[in-house]
Amino acid sequence: DQQVKQNSPSLSVQEGRISILNCDYTNSMFDYFLWYKKYPAEGPTFLISISSIKDKNEDGRFTVFLNKSAKHLSLHIVPSQPGDSAVYFCAASTRTSGSRLTFGEGTQLTVNP
Amino acid sequence: DTAVSQTPKYLVTQMGNDKSIKCEQNLGHDTMYWYKQDSKKFLKIMFSYNNKELIINETVPNRFSPKSPDKAHLNLHINSLELGDSAVYFCASSQDLRGDTQYFGPGTRLTVL
């Protein structure tokens, strides 16, 4: 039972363009969402998060949008840079039940120069 | 200075052996975790400890036993290794049980022959 899904295993964009990574979830109890970035042979690195009381959170080139009614969130990267090429994981948690993060399967982003 | 470190980075061993993976964090966090990333790339939580106390114990075979000598260390001991245990194991830590932002180690790639 995969509660967090990233349906696109890969995405390729040109440098300077926008990258949009999508994530869907099924558990309506999730109230906190995170994006992690992972380079090969390294651990995931926290990128940005959003609480369910918000619908948008922005940090520099990265913006996360949350649509609770659709149980969908997306990560926008603009402008995309070659150094953004990595696997991006969406994760969700229920803050009331503590620290259990449920991860999606990841999307490999490739930014071409 | 590495925040979350794991040793070894690679571990190749025979079926039936017992092995340990060590994890240390120097962030002063109270909560530590073990995750398993299987061949399908899903990151799934195995255990979490808060101040040396077991908090989360997912449906993991009891051949896996975490040990937390102090809150900066969470080691993973695996008995009677099986082929299906081959995966990348990630240690992580967070400030507290809310686990909003978890910081990951570089991972240990375990290969069971």
Side-chain angles (χ1 to χ4, degrees):
Chain A
D1 177 27
Q2 190 61 17
Q3 298 184 58
V4 178
K5 296 180 184 178
Q6 295 175 253
N7 291 317
S8 298
S10 64
L11 174 68
S12 184
V13 300
Q14 284 300 118
E15 182 178 3
R17 300 287 184 101
I18 185 170
S19 296
I20 300 177
L21 296 105
N22 294 303
C23 178
D24 297 294
Y25 61 96
T26 57
N27 188 344
S28 56
M29 299 298 291
F30 287 144
D31 56 10
Y32 196 71
F33 304 89
L34 308 91
W35 284 94
Y36 279 80
K37 179 165 93 169
K38 184 183 179 306
Y39 292 118
E42 294 183 12
T45 304
F46 170 74
L47 196 55
I48 193 169
S49 62
I50 188 166
S51 163
S52 60
I53 61 172
K54 294 185 174 182
D55 54 19
K56 176 183 174 181
N57 189 25
E58 193 172 347
D59 183 2
R61 296 185 298 114
F62 303 91
T63 304
V64 57
F65 295 91
L66 175 63
N67 182 333
K68 287 193 295 292
S69 59
K71 295 193 179 66
H72 177 84
L73 64 155
S74 60
L75 174 69
H76 292 210
I77 307 173
V78 56
S80 301
Q81 300 173 354
D84 296 330
S85 297
V87 177
Y88 288 79
F89 289 98
C90 169
S93 72
T94 307
R95 273 178 154 172
T96 51
S97 68
S99 49
R100 188 187 304 270
L101 282 183
T102 301
F103 282 85
E105 56 268 62
T107 297
Q108 170 71 56
L109 172 66
T110 303
V111 180
N112 301 302
Chain B
D1 212 12
T2 307
V4 182
S5 59
Q6 294 177 229
T7 54
K9 192 163 176 66
Y10 299 96
L11 186 52
V12 181
T13 188
Q14 298 288 332
M15 262 194 333
N17 283 350
D18 303 339
K19 290 293 178 187
S20 292
I21 306 172
K22 295 186 176 181
C23 178
E24 176 181 1
Q25 55 95 4
N26 62 8
L27 296 166
H29 288 169
D30 287 342
T31 310
M32 296 185 72
Y33 312 82
W34 277 108
Y35 285 85
K36 179 180 179 181
Q37 186 179 33
D38 60 23
S39 56
K40 294 184 180 177
K41 306 301 182 188
F42 287 108
L43 265 164
K44 291 186 179 174
I45 191 163
M46 300 172 69
F47 302 102
S48 77
Y49 269 72
N50 187 65
N51 274 322
K52 303 195 299 174
E53 181 186 347
L54 179 65
I55 302 298
I56 294 173
N57 184 350
E58 288 296 288
T59 49
V60 177
N62 57 15
R63 297 182 294 104
F64 289 78
S65 54
K67 297 265 190 312
S68 182
D70 55 63
K71 75 174 194 177
H73 296 84
L74 181 62
N75 304 322
L76 183 64
H77 189 76
I78 316 169
N79 287 330
S80 303
L81 277 155
E82 300 178 357
L83 293 176
D85 297 332
S86 295
V88 182
Y89 293 85
F90 289 99
C91 176
S93 73
S94 64
Q95 182 95 35
D96 50 40
L97 266 180
R98 290 179 307 166
D100 290 351
T101 303
Q102 296 181 19
Y103 296 83
F104 283 79
T108 295
R109 181 174 292 277
L110 171 65
T111 304
V112 182
L113 303 174

Short mmCIF file of all heavy atoms in Angstrom, two decimals, chain B residues 27-62:
data_model
loop_
_atom_site.label_atom_id
_atom_site.label_comp_id
_atom_site.label_asym_id
_atom_site.label_seq_id
_atom_site.Cartn_x
_atom_site.Cartn_y
_atom_site.Cartn_z
N LEU B 27 24.95 16.28 15.78
CA LEU B 27 24.05 17.43 15.71
C LEU B 27 23.36 17.71 17.04
O LEU B 27 22.61 18.67 17.14
CB LEU B 27 22.99 17.17 14.63
CG LEU B 27 23.55 17.05 13.21
CD1 LEU B 27 22.51 16.46 12.27
CD2 LEU B 27 24.01 18.39 12.69
N GLY B 28 23.58 16.85 18.01
CA GLY B 28 22.90 17.03 19.29
C GLY B 28 21.43 16.67 19.24
O GLY B 28 20.65 17.09 20.11
N HIS B 29 21.03 15.90 18.23
CA HIS B 29 19.64 15.50 18.08
C HIS B 29 19.25 14.42 19.08
O HIS B 29 20.08 13.65 19.54
CB HIS B 29 19.40 14.99 16.65
CG HIS B 29 19.41 16.08 15.63
ND1 HIS B 29 19.43 15.81 14.27
CD2 HIS B 29 19.39 17.43 15.75
CE1 HIS B 29 19.41 16.97 13.61
NE2 HIS B 29 19.40 17.95 14.49
N ASP B 30 17.94 14.40 19.37
CA ASP B 30 17.43 13.40 20.30
C ASP B 30 16.98 12.12 19.62
O ASP B 30 16.89 11.07 20.25
CB ASP B 30 16.22 13.97 21.07
CG ASP B 30 16.63 15.00 22.11
OD1 ASP B 30 17.82 15.03 22.48
OD2 ASP B 30 15.76 15.77 22.54
N THR B 31 16.62 12.21 18.34
CA THR B 31 15.96 11.08 17.67
C THR B 31 16.80 10.60 16.50
O THR B 31 17.31 11.39 15.71
CB THR B 31 14.57 11.50 17.17
OG1 THR B 31 13.86 12.14 18.24
CG2 THR B 31 13.77 10.30 16.70
N MET B 32 16.92 9.28 16.39
CA MET B 32 17.68 8.66 15.29
C MET B 32 16.86 7.56 14.65
O MET B 32 15.97 6.98 15.29
CB MET B 32 19.02 8.12 15.80
CG MET B 32 19.94 9.22 16.31
SD MET B 32 21.57 8.63 16.79
CE MET B 32 22.31 8.26 15.18
N TYR B 33 17.19 7.26 13.38
CA TYR B 33 16.38 6.34 12.58
C TYR B 33 17.28 5.44 11.75
O TYR B 33 18.41 5.79 11.41
CB TYR B 33 15.51 7.12 11.58
CG TYR B 33 14.76 8.28 12.15
CD1 TYR B 33 15.38 9.52 12.34
CD2 TYR B 33 13.41 8.17 12.48
CE1 TYR B 33 14.68 10.61 12.85
CE2 TYR B 33 12.71 9.25 12.99
CZ TYR B 33 13.35 10.46 13.17
OH TYR B 33 12.64 11.54 13.69
N TRP B 34 16.71 4.30 11.39
CA TRP B 34 17.27 3.47 10.32
C TRP B 34 16.22 3.30 9.23
O TRP B 34 15.05 2.99 9.53
CB TRP B 34 17.70 2.09 10.83
CG TRP B 34 19.05 2.10 11.45
CD1 TRP B 34 19.36 1.98 12.78
CD2 TRP B 34 20.30 2.24 10.77
NE1 TRP B 34 20.72 2.05 12.97
CE2 TRP B 34 21.31 2.20 11.75
CE3 TRP B 34 20.68 2.39 9.43
CZ2 TRP B 34 22.68 2.31 11.43
CZ3 TRP B 34 22.02 2.50 9.12
CH2 TRP B 34 23.00 2.45 10.11
N TYR B 35 16.67 3.52 7.98
CA TYR B 35 15.83 3.32 6.81
C TYR B 35 16.49 2.28 5.91
O TYR B 35 17.71 2.16 5.88
CB TYR B 35 15.69 4.60 5.99
CG TYR B 35 14.78 5.65 6.57
CD1 TYR B 35 15.26 6.55 7.51
CD2 TYR B 35 13.46 5.74 6.16
CE1 TYR B 35 14.42 7.53 8.04
CE2 TYR B 35 12.62 6.72 6.68
CZ TYR B 35 13.11 7.60 7.62
OH TYR B 35 12.29 8.57 8.14
N LYS B 36 15.66 1.58 5.15
CA LYS B 36 16.16 0.65 4.15
C LYS B 36 15.67 1.10 2.78
O LYS B 36 14.48 1.40 2.61
CB LYS B 36 15.63 -0.76 4.44
CG LYS B 36 16.06 -1.81 3.44
CD LYS B 36 15.50 -3.17 3.80
CE LYS B 36 15.91 -4.24 2.81
NZ LYS B 36 15.35 -5.57 3.15
N GLN B 37 16.60 1.18 1.83
CA GLN B 37 16.23 1.47 0.45
C GLN B 37 16.44 0.21 -0.36
O GLN B 37 17.58 -0.23 -0.57
CB GLN B 37 17.05 2.61 -0.14
CG GLN B 37 16.57 3.03 -1.53
CD GLN B 37 17.36 4.18 -2.11
OE1 GLN B 37 18.54 4.33 -1.88
NE2 GLN B 37 16.70 5.00 -2.91
N ASP B 38 15.35 -0.37 -0.83
CA ASP B 38 15.46 -1.65 -1.52
C ASP B 38 15.75 -1.45 -3.01
O ASP B 38 15.96 -0.33 -3.47
CB ASP B 38 14.18 -2.47 -1.30
CG ASP B 38 12.95 -1.77 -1.83
OD1 ASP B 38 13.06 -0.90 -2.71
OD2 ASP B 38 11.85 -2.09 -1.33
N SER B 39 15.71 -2.54 -3.74
CA SER B 39 16.07 -2.48 -5.16
C SER B 39 15.10 -1.64 -5.97
O SER B 39 15.44 -1.13 -7.04
CB SER B 39 16.13 -3.89 -5.74
OG SER B 39 14.89 -4.55 -5.53
N LYS B 40 13.89 -1.45 -5.47
CA LYS B 40 12.92 -0.61 -6.17
C LYS B 40 13.05 0.85 -5.75
O LYS B 40 12.23 1.68 -6.13
CB LYS B 40 11.49 -1.10 -5.89
CG LYS B 40 11.22 -2.47 -6.48
CD LYS B 40 9.78 -2.87 -6.25
CE LYS B 40 9.53 -4.24 -6.86
NZ LYS B 40 8.17 -4.72 -6.61
N LYS B 41 14.07 1.14 -4.96
CA LYS B 41 14.41 2.51 -4.55
C LYS B 41 13.50 3.11 -3.50
O LYS B 41 13.63 4.30 -3.20
CB LYS B 41 14.48 3.45 -5.77
CG LYS B 41 15.41 2.97 -6.86
CD LYS B 41 16.82 2.79 -6.37
CE LYS B 41 17.75 2.34 -7.47
NZ LYS B 41 19.10 1.99 -6.96
N PHE B 42 12.55 2.33 -2.96
CA PHE B 42 11.72 2.88 -1.89
C PHE B 42 12.54 3.01 -0.61
O PHE B 42 13.29 2.12 -0.24
CB PHE B 42 10.53 1.96 -1.60
CG PHE B 42 9.47 1.98 -2.64
CD1 PHE B 42 9.29 0.90 -3.49
CD2 PHE B 42 8.66 3.08 -2.79
CE1 PHE B 42 8.31 0.92 -4.46
CE2 PHE B 42 7.67 3.10 -3.76
CZ PHE B 42 7.51 2.01 -4.60
N LEU B 43 12.37 4.15 0.06
CA LEU B 43 12.99 4.37 1.36
C LEU B 43 11.95 4.05 2.42
O LEU B 43 10.93 4.72 2.52
CB LEU B 43 13.39 5.84 1.53
CG LEU B 43 14.81 6.24 1.20
CD1 LEU B 43 14.91 7.74 1.06
CD2 LEU B 43 15.77 5.75 2.28
N LYS B 44 12.23 3.03 3.23
CA LYS B 44 11.23 2.64 4.24
C LYS B 44 11.85 2.64 5.62
O LYS B 44 12.95 2.13 5.81
CB LYS B 44 10.68 1.25 3.93
CG LYS B 44 9.84 1.22 2.69
CD LYS B 44 9.19 -0.12 2.47
CE LYS B 44 8.32 -0.08 1.22
NZ LYS B 44 7.79 -1.41 0.88
N ILE B 45 11.10 3.21 6.56
CA ILE B 45 11.62 3.28 7.91
C ILE B 45 11.64 1.89 8.54
O ILE B 45 10.74 1.07 8.30
CB ILE B 45 10.81 4.26 8.78
CG1 ILE B 45 11.55 4.50 10.10
CG2 ILE B 45 9.39 3.76 9.00
CD1 ILE B 45 11.08 5.72 10.84
N MET B 46 12.69 1.63 9.30
CA MET B 46 12.80 0.36 10.02
C MET B 46 12.60 0.61 11.52
O MET B 46 11.80 -0.04 12.17
CB MET B 46 14.16 -0.26 9.78
CG MET B 46 14.47 -0.56 8.33
SD MET B 46 16.17 -1.08 8.10
CE MET B 46 16.17 -2.67 8.90
N PHE B 47 13.40 1.53 12.05
CA PHE B 47 13.38 1.80 13.49
C PHE B 47 13.57 3.29 13.74
O PHE B 47 14.17 3.99 12.93
CB PHE B 47 14.55 1.08 14.20
CG PHE B 47 14.59 -0.39 14.04
CD1 PHE B 47 15.48 -0.98 13.13
CD2 PHE B 47 13.77 -1.21 14.79
CE1 PHE B 47 15.53 -2.35 12.98
CE2 PHE B 47 13.82 -2.58 14.64
CZ PHE B 47 14.70 -3.15 13.73
N SER B 48 13.07 3.74 14.88
CA SER B 48 13.50 5.04 15.38
C SER B 48 13.71 4.94 16.89
O SER B 48 13.03 4.16 17.58
CB SER B 48 12.52 6.14 15.05
OG SER B 48 11.40 6.08 15.91
N TYR B 49 14.65 5.71 17.37
CA TYR B 49 14.97 5.79 18.79
C TYR B 49 14.94 7.24 19.21
O TYR B 49 15.39 8.13 18.48
CB TYR B 49 16.39 5.25 19.06
CG TYR B 49 16.45 3.79 19.38
CD1 TYR B 49 16.22 2.84 18.39
CD2 TYR B 49 16.74 3.35 20.66
CE1 TYR B 49 16.28 1.49 18.69
CE2 TYR B 49 16.81 2.00 20.96
CZ TYR B 49 16.56 1.07 19.97
OH TYR B 49 16.62 -0.26 20.26
N ASN B 50 14.41 7.49 20.40
CA ASN B 50 14.44 8.83 20.96
C ASN B 50 15.11 8.74 22.33
O ASN B 50 14.61 8.05 23.22
CB ASN B 50 13.02 9.39 21.10
CG ASN B 50 13.03 10.84 21.53
OD1 ASN B 50 13.50 11.71 20.80
ND2 ASN B 50 12.52 11.12 22.71
N ASN B 51 16.22 9.44 22.47
CA ASN B 51 16.97 9.38 23.73
C ASN B 51 17.19 7.93 24.20
O ASN B 51 16.92 7.58 25.34
CB ASN B 51 16.26 10.17 24.83
CG ASN B 51 16.63 11.63 24.80
OD1 ASN B 51 17.79 11.97 24.55
ND2 ASN B 51 15.66 12.48 25.05
N LYS B 52 17.64 7.12 23.29
CA LYS B 52 17.99 5.71 23.53
C LYS B 52 16.78 4.81 23.72
O LYS B 52 16.94 3.62 24.01
CB LYS B 52 18.93 5.57 24.73
CG LYS B 52 20.22 6.35 24.62
CD LYS B 52 21.25 5.91 25.64
CE LYS B 52 20.78 6.10 27.06
NZ LYS B 52 21.73 5.52 28.05
N GLU B 53 15.58 5.34 23.55
CA GLU B 53 14.38 4.52 23.75
C GLU B 53 13.76 4.20 22.39
O GLU B 53 13.56 5.10 21.56
CB GLU B 53 13.38 5.28 24.61
CG GLU B 53 12.10 4.51 24.89
CD GLU B 53 11.07 5.35 25.63
OE1 GLU B 53 11.44 6.44 26.13
OE2 GLU B 53 9.91 4.93 25.69
N LEU B 54 13.42 2.94 22.17
CA LEU B 54 12.82 2.52 20.91
C LEU B 54 11.42 3.12 20.78
O LEU B 54 10.57 2.98 21.67
CB LEU B 54 12.73 0.99 20.86
CG LEU B 54 12.11 0.38 19.61
CD1 LEU B 54 12.97 0.67 18.38
CD2 LEU B 54 11.91 -1.12 19.79
N ILE B 55 11.19 3.79 19.64
CA ILE B 55 9.90 4.45 19.40
C ILE B 55 9.14 3.74 18.28
O ILE B 55 7.97 3.44 18.41
CB ILE B 55 10.09 5.94 19.04
CG1 ILE B 55 10.84 6.67 20.14
CG2 ILE B 55 8.75 6.59 18.74
CD1 ILE B 55 10.13 6.68 21.49
N ILE B 56 9.82 3.55 17.15
CA ILE B 56 9.18 2.92 16.00
C ILE B 56 9.91 1.62 15.72
O ILE B 56 11.12 1.57 15.67
CB ILE B 56 9.24 3.81 14.74
CG1 ILE B 56 8.41 5.07 14.92
CG2 ILE B 56 8.77 3.03 13.50
CD1 ILE B 56 8.56 6.06 13.78
N ASN B 57 9.14 0.57 15.56
CA ASN B 57 9.70 -0.71 15.15
C ASN B 57 8.76 -1.27 14.09
O ASN B 57 7.72 -1.83 14.42
CB ASN B 57 9.82 -1.65 16.35
CG ASN B 57 10.48 -2.97 16.00
OD1 ASN B 57 10.69 -3.27 14.82
ND2 ASN B 57 10.82 -3.75 16.99
N GLU B 58 9.09 -1.01 12.83
CA GLU B 58 8.25 -1.50 11.74
C GLU B 58 8.33 -3.02 11.67
O GLU B 58 9.07 -3.64 12.42
CB GLU B 58 8.67 -0.86 10.43
CG GLU B 58 8.30 0.60 10.32
CD GLU B 58 6.81 0.84 10.33
OE1 GLU B 58 6.14 0.53 9.33
OE2 GLU B 58 6.31 1.33 11.37
N THR B 59 7.58 -3.59 10.76
CA THR B 59 7.56 -5.05 10.66
C THR B 59 8.86 -5.54 10.04
O THR B 59 8.94 -5.88 8.86
CB THR B 59 6.37 -5.51 9.81
OG1 THR B 59 6.36 -4.74 8.60
CG2 THR B 59 5.07 -5.32 10.54
N VAL B 60 9.88 -5.48 10.86
CA VAL B 60 11.21 -5.89 10.45
C VAL B 60 11.52 -7.22 11.12
O VAL B 60 11.20 -7.41 12.29
CB VAL B 60 12.23 -4.81 10.90
CG1 VAL B 60 13.64 -5.22 10.55
CG2 VAL B 60 11.90 -3.47 10.26
N PRO B 61 12.13 -8.18 10.38
CA PRO B 61 12.49 -9.46 11.02
C PRO B 61 13.31 -9.25 12.28
O PRO B 61 14.12 -8.31 12.35
CB PRO B 61 13.31 -10.17 9.93
CG PRO B 61 12.89 -9.55 8.66
CD PRO B 61 12.53 -8.13 8.98
N ASN B 62 13.13 -10.11 13.27
CA ASN B 62 13.86 -9.90 14.52
C ASN B 62 15.34 -10.26 14.39
O ASN B 62 16.08 -10.20 15.38
CB ASN B 62 13.20 -10.63 15.69
CG ASN B 62 13.06 -12.10 15.42
OD1 ASN B 62 13.68 -12.65 14.51
ND2 ASN B 62 12.23 -12.77 16.21
#
